Amino acid sequence: MKYYDVILPVPTGGIYTYTSEDEIQNGVRATVPLGRRTLTGIVLRENTAPDESIKYRNISTVHDTNPIFSCEYMDLIMKISEYYCAGAGQVLKGVISEQVYTSEKTTVEIKHFEPKELTLNEAQLSVYNGIYSSLKDGFSTHLVHGVTGSGKTEIFIELAKKVIAEGKQVLYLVPEISLTPQLENRLSARMGFDVLSYHSKKTPKKRKEAFWSFSAGTLPMMLGARSSLFVPAKEIGLIIVDEEHESSYKQDEIPSYQLRDMSVLYGKILKIPVILASATPSLESWANAKSGKYLYHSIPCRPDTDMPEIQIVDMKEEEPIGGILSIPLYDAIYETINRGEQVILLINRKGYSHTLYCRKCGNIINCSNCSVAVTYYKSTNTCKCNYCSQEVRRPKCLHCGSDDITDYGAGTEKVAEVLETAFEKKILRLDTENVKSYKKLSEMLKSFEDGEYPIMAGTQLVAKGLDFGNVTLAGIINIDNMFTLPDFRANERAYQLLLQLAGRAGRADKKGRVVIQTAMPELDLFKRLDCLDTTFYEMEMARRKLFNYPPFYKMCRITLSHTKEEAVKDAAFLVYDTLLRFKNDAEVFYPAQAPIYKIQNRFRYGIIIKSPLNSELSKLIRAAANTLKDNAKTTLRIKIDRDPHFFM
DNA sequence: AGCACGCCGACT
DNA sequence: GTCGGCGTGCTC
């Protein structure tokens, strides 16, 4: 009789021990009973010291003769579990779809054809050589800092070919796969075989095919979003993380891991190189490059065009059309579309208006379940909460009962409406409300590319990785609301967004232009929007150092929630006391109501911890979790967010 | 997470 | 009297 530890996709703990008459290899899938249920998990290891007091049950079915998940893979899962303070089962659940890994192995034939050859230019070649030389030396991390359109992808394609020629596989990660169906085609054409992609918007069948083909090793290269790092490969030789600065790499749900960091960790475990690439690197990666932890490579210029001209419009001096369009932006749009060229506009709010209020008493209309103002959608004539999706049919003032309600704060719908009136042209509106499916998105992007619309207006979606040759003007309606969020990365985010947006304008042979509307034109940030200039990084680093922010200090945010106000508050102070008792060099913030105090009728308190040492942070988090385990047995929920990116 | 147990209010 | 609400606790 042998004993085996099995990881099961259940949120608590997740490691259970079972018995078997047969010898079982680590990393195979096994179906076991748990309570009244039957679940399929992964065999983690043999347990040589079982607890006498527990009556173990038998493994019902073993699915594989050879391991699907390597010991390096299991190592990664366990390290994530430890670092992000989530049960192994919770990690497994959050990282691979149960539907996919429990499915029959269905591989698909990968078609091979004659690849399209391209020669690298001098700048590309120098980066290529820099990385190539360390390709066979095991683990190394490379930060490739190259402006938009500098041809980073071509370098990675050539490196990938070398790795594949050695019989190993390549993983190419992008932050938002749904926006880049073009990349799949481009990679396939250049590699000379079908590069399959793996992401949540694919049909289950397609996902299973990509999963099992990558697992079998018949698929040499896979393109994917966050979750594809956890597709078990036969043998990975290189991981590429494109647009490494993107905050969508940080998962908000438990386990809230940072994919970029996990890629580097996996590379370390596998002893292979990892490439991080961006036109606007994160401060974390920048710091690692400066310290020599990452090898730094830069491509300083766009090979084909000049950088766009950037214009800052002071909204204090303007009387904008419809409260939205300044005269300089209006003129710029007018000139651009008159030349038959196209415009991309960014608005970072969806709906028609983000706030409704009572005209009688000034009270803001909040969602009844959450402490958030409801968003008004004119297209469907509804008011919806962005946090719990609850609809309010006919909003009335909860304070005075009046139904004389009006709105302010323009979203994509309002902007599109104003633009349509101003230019008498149909506008393409792109936001999550409007784009429900992958197919629809592709169609919309295609129609814009074909010139059916002169202007595309949308949320952050429009700034991410889109590439249209005829776009020569990019505008941002209101950058200022980025600074209203409680987020120490606001500056960094604004900088990245503006430079990325600038990269959307004038990528082919035409000179691009960027117009930024702001009421704070004096912000230093606007003077640093030259991608050849790295003073932004130095200034931001100095600020982070002064206030003990990452990358200098490590951060963790603990959020507690409960249906009763008193219960969360008590729990928060209980945790706070524990943290004070255990802390050394760390800074522990006084417990505070979360910026959104109530979500789905649960009240929320937050505590932020900062420490120069990751080890101290781990110790404190553990102490906090233990205190609650011992003292709070009610429906209190704890969320531990390590290296947080979202602070609401 | 499921799933069951268990203890209180409002129905035939 | 029982149906069903969800708060609590456990699963090798």
Side-chain angles (χ1 to χ4, degrees):
Chain A
M1 185 68 78
K2 289 202 173 250
Y3 297 85
Y4 293 97
D5 289 346
V6 180
I7 303 186
L8 296 173
V10 289
T12 45
I15 300 174
Y16 294 91
T17 310
Y18 292 87
T19 53
S20 172
E21 298 294 337
D22 307 317
E23 182 88 24
I24 303 172
Q25 289 202 57
N26 296 342
V28 301
R29 298 171 298 160
T31 297
V32 294
L34 183 74
R36 250 139 286 227
R37 293 183 290 167
T38 358
L39 293 165
T40 302
I42 306 168
V43 175
L44 177 64
R45 65 198 156 205
E46 195 187 332
N47 188 330
T48 47
D51 187 335
E52 303 283 328
S53 62
I54 298 171
K55 42 176 192 351
Y56 295 103
R57 297 168 80 179
N58 226 310
I59 292 180
S60 351
T61 330
V62 174
H63 296 270
D64 315 292
T65 39
N66 296 314
I68 303 289
F69 302 92
S70 64
C71 59
E72 288 87 357
Y73 185 98
M74 302 312 277
D75 194 13
L76 178 67
I77 299 290
M78 296 313 282
K79 285 205 161 87
I80 291 175
S81 158
E82 203 177 304
Y83 186 78
Y84 291 103
C85 300
Q90 208 163 27
V91 175
L92 181 67
K93 217 178 155 66
V95 132
I96 7 172
S97 144
E98 210 177 330
Q99 201 194 6
V100 174
Y101 83 81
T102 57
S103 68
E104 277 299 309
K105 293 178 199 170
T106 44
T107 53
V108 68
E109 203 202 322
I110 308 296
K111 283 197 292 290
H112 286 256
F113 38 83
E114 200 53 46
K116 206 173 105 197
E117 297 292 348
L118 262 174
T119 353
L120 299 180
N121 65 32
E122 211 172 299
Q124 289 170 327
L125 207 56
S126 124
V127 175
Y128 170 84
N129 287 329
I131 301 174
Y132 181 71
S133 60
S134 60
L135 218 48
K136 286 186 183 141
D137 299 340
F139 171 64
S140 56
T141 311
H142 303 266
L143 176 64
V144 178
H145 185 187
V147 303
T148 331
S150 61
K152 293 187 290 283
T153 314
E154 294 305 327
I155 303 171
F156 307 149
I157 287 167
E158 293 306 321
L159 289 165
K161 284 182 173 177
K162 294 286 178 199
V163 173
I164 292 165
E166 297 284 316
K168 296 187 181 175
Q169 292 164 288
V170 177
L171 190 56
Y172 195 119
L173 300 158
V174 287
E176 179 72 61
I177 185 74
S178 55
L179 283 174
T180 55
Q182 309 118 303
L183 188 58
E184 197 176 332
N185 296 331
R186 183 172 160 203
L187 289 176
S188 300
R190 290 277 283 111
M191 296 304 296
F193 57 83
D194 290 335
V195 174
L196 301 187
S197 65
Y198 185 88
H199 56 91
S200 59
K201 293 209 176 76
K202 287 256 162 184
T203 61
K205 185 169 179 281
K206 292 273 179 199
R207 284 167 78 189
K208 284 171 195 167
E209 283 173 2
F211 185 94
W212 290 115
S213 301
F214 204 55
S215 164
T218 52
L219 176 63
M221 185 174 188
M222 192 170 73
L223 172 68
R226 213 165 43 205
S227 57
S228 56
L229 183 72
F230 302 98
V231 173
K234 187 157 177 282
E235 191 184 4
I236 305 189
L238 174 68
I239 302 172
I240 300 154
V241 184
D242 203 359
E243 310 291 354
E244 67 86 25
H245 65 279
E246 279 289 340
S247 48
S248 49
Y249 278 135
K250 180 66 162 61
Q251 173 149 318
D252 198 20
E253 305 84 56
I254 298 168
S256 46
Y257 63 90
Q258 161 66 47
L259 180 102
R260 180 228 302 143
D261 299 345
M262 292 311 101
S263 301
V264 173
L265 173 64
Y266 201 21
K268 197 174 175 182
I269 296 171
L270 290 167
K271 302 185 183 72
I272 59 163
V274 179
I275 299 172
L276 311 180
S278 176
T280 52
S282 60
L283 269 275
E284 283 86 351
S285 296
W286 177 263
N288 281 327
K290 285 282 141 186
S291 74
K293 205 172 155 193
Y294 296 174
L295 296 157
Y296 180 76
H297 311 267
S298 82
I299 318 172
C301 58
R302 277 161 86 151
D304 46 1
T305 33
D306 299 330
M307 280 310 286
E309 171 202 325
I310 296 174
Q311 185 183 355
I312 312 292
V313 178
D314 184 355
M315 294 304 274
K316 295 197 296 297
E317 306 290 316
E318 294 285 327
E319 274 178 47
I321 303 162
I324 289 165
L325 273 185
S326 65
I327 298 303
L329 181 56
Y330 176 87
D331 289 346
I333 297 173
Y334 186 82
E335 286 162 23
T336 308
I337 61 179
N338 252 6
R339 281 198 304 271
E341 292 164 6
Q342 288 171 298
V343 181
I344 289 182
L345 288 179
L346 184 97
I347 311 100
N348 36 23
R349 303 289 299 243
K350 56 182 186 174
Y352 190 80
S353 47
H354 60 72
T355 305
L356 293 172
Y357 68 96
C358 169
R359 237 202 267 260
K360 283 232 171 74
C361 66
N363 199 37
I364 289 173
I365 315 295
N366 274 358
C367 170
S368 58
N369 304 327
C370 316
S371 48
V372 196
V374 292
T375 302
Y376 173 54
Y377 296 88
K378 198 175 186 178
S379 54
T380 49
N381 192 29
T382 49
C383 300
K384 221 169 77 182
C385 170
N386 283 338
Y387 282 82
C388 72
S389 306
Q390 184 190 232
E391 258 185 43
V392 186
R393 286 242 163 253
R394 292 182 60 224
K396 264 192 181 156
C397 178
L398 292 171
H399 187 242
C400 71
S402 160
D403 55 5
D404 187 7
I405 304 295
T406 188
D407 62 337
Y408 72 85
T412 44
E413 279 186 9
K414 176 85 179 279
V415 173
E417 185 185 277
V418 170
L419 289 167
E420 280 180 1
T421 319
F423 296 102
E424 296 178 337
K425 290 259 163 55
K426 200 93 190 83
I427 310 296
L428 179 66
R429 182 162 64 86
L430 200 77
D431 54 43
T432 49
E433 213 60 35
N434 201 14
V435 184
K436 293 288 183 203
S437 71
Y438 182 47
K439 195 168 159 251
K440 187 162 179 215
L441 177 68
S442 316
E443 283 166 13
M444 285 165 83
L445 296 177
K446 181 81 171 57
S447 66
F448 184 67
E449 191 164 19
D450 293 345
E452 277 176 46
Y453 299 89
I455 306 170
M456 173 159 77
T459 47
Q460 305 240 352
L461 279 175
V462 303
K464 287 181 187 171
L466 295 174
D467 197 353
F468 301 104
N470 199 32
V471 172
T472 54
L473 173 67
I476 178 155
I477 302 296
N478 177 13
I479 184 77
D480 301 345
N481 58 21
M482 282 193 90
F483 301 106
T484 61
L485 293 172
D487 184 352
F488 71 91
R489 287 191 184 86
N491 254 324
E492 179 186 352
R493 284 214 168 119
Y495 170 83
Q496 286 160 342
L497 182 69
L498 292 175
L499 269 190
Q500 292 287 338
L501 196 65
R504 304 296 135 234
R507 292 190 65 160
D509 49 348
K510 296 164 195 148
K511 171 95 177 163
R513 190 171 168 193
V514 176
V515 178
I516 301 161
Q517 298 193 146
T518 176
M520 305 183 278
E522 66 284 353
L523 281 186
D524 193 70
L525 168 76
F526 298 131
K527 302 181 187 87
R528 313 287 165 197
L529 294 177
D530 180 348
C531 57
L532 300 176
D533 177 10
T534 55
T535 54
F536 170 78
Y537 283 92
E538 277 138 39
M539 296 189 40
E540 187 61 16
M541 286 291 256
R543 200 181 67 88
R544 299 278 179 94
K545 192 172 172 73
L546 185 64
F547 295 105
N548 290 343
Y549 274 125
F552 299 97
Y553 268 52
K554 304 290 173 185
M555 199 182 225
C556 180
R557 178 170 179 251
I558 300 177
T559 311
L560 304 164
S561 74
H562 197 283
T563 46
K564 294 190 188 76
E565 274 192 274
E566 278 308 306
V568 235
K569 197 176 175 185
D570 292 348
F573 281 94
L574 191 69
V575 172
Y576 180 63
D577 289 341
T578 310
L579 291 172
L580 288 187
R581 255 189 296 124
F582 282 84
K583 86 176 190 84
N584 236 339
D585 300 325
E587 288 175 27
V588 179
F589 287 23
Y590 196 74
Q593 294 185 356
I596 298 176
Y597 183 39
K598 190 177 73 169
I599 294 182
Q600 301 235 45
N601 290 317
R602 300 184 72 90
F603 295 92
R604 307 163 72 242
Y605 260 79
I607 298 174
I608 285 175
I609 319 167
K610 291 192 295 185
S611 168
L613 296 168
N614 252 329
S615 54
E616 188 190 15
L617 212 50
S618 295
K619 188 186 78 182
L620 290 175
I621 297 166
R622 211 137 294 141
N626 285 336
T627 313
L628 290 172
K629 212 189 288 162
D630 299 342
N631 295 288
K633 290 186 178 69
T634 45
T635 56
L636 183 86
R637 281 187 206 156
I638 323 153
K639 188 183 164 191
I640 292 163
D641 189 0
R642 210 153 171 182
D643 307 325
H645 268 65
F646 316 104
F647 295 86
M648 297 302 276

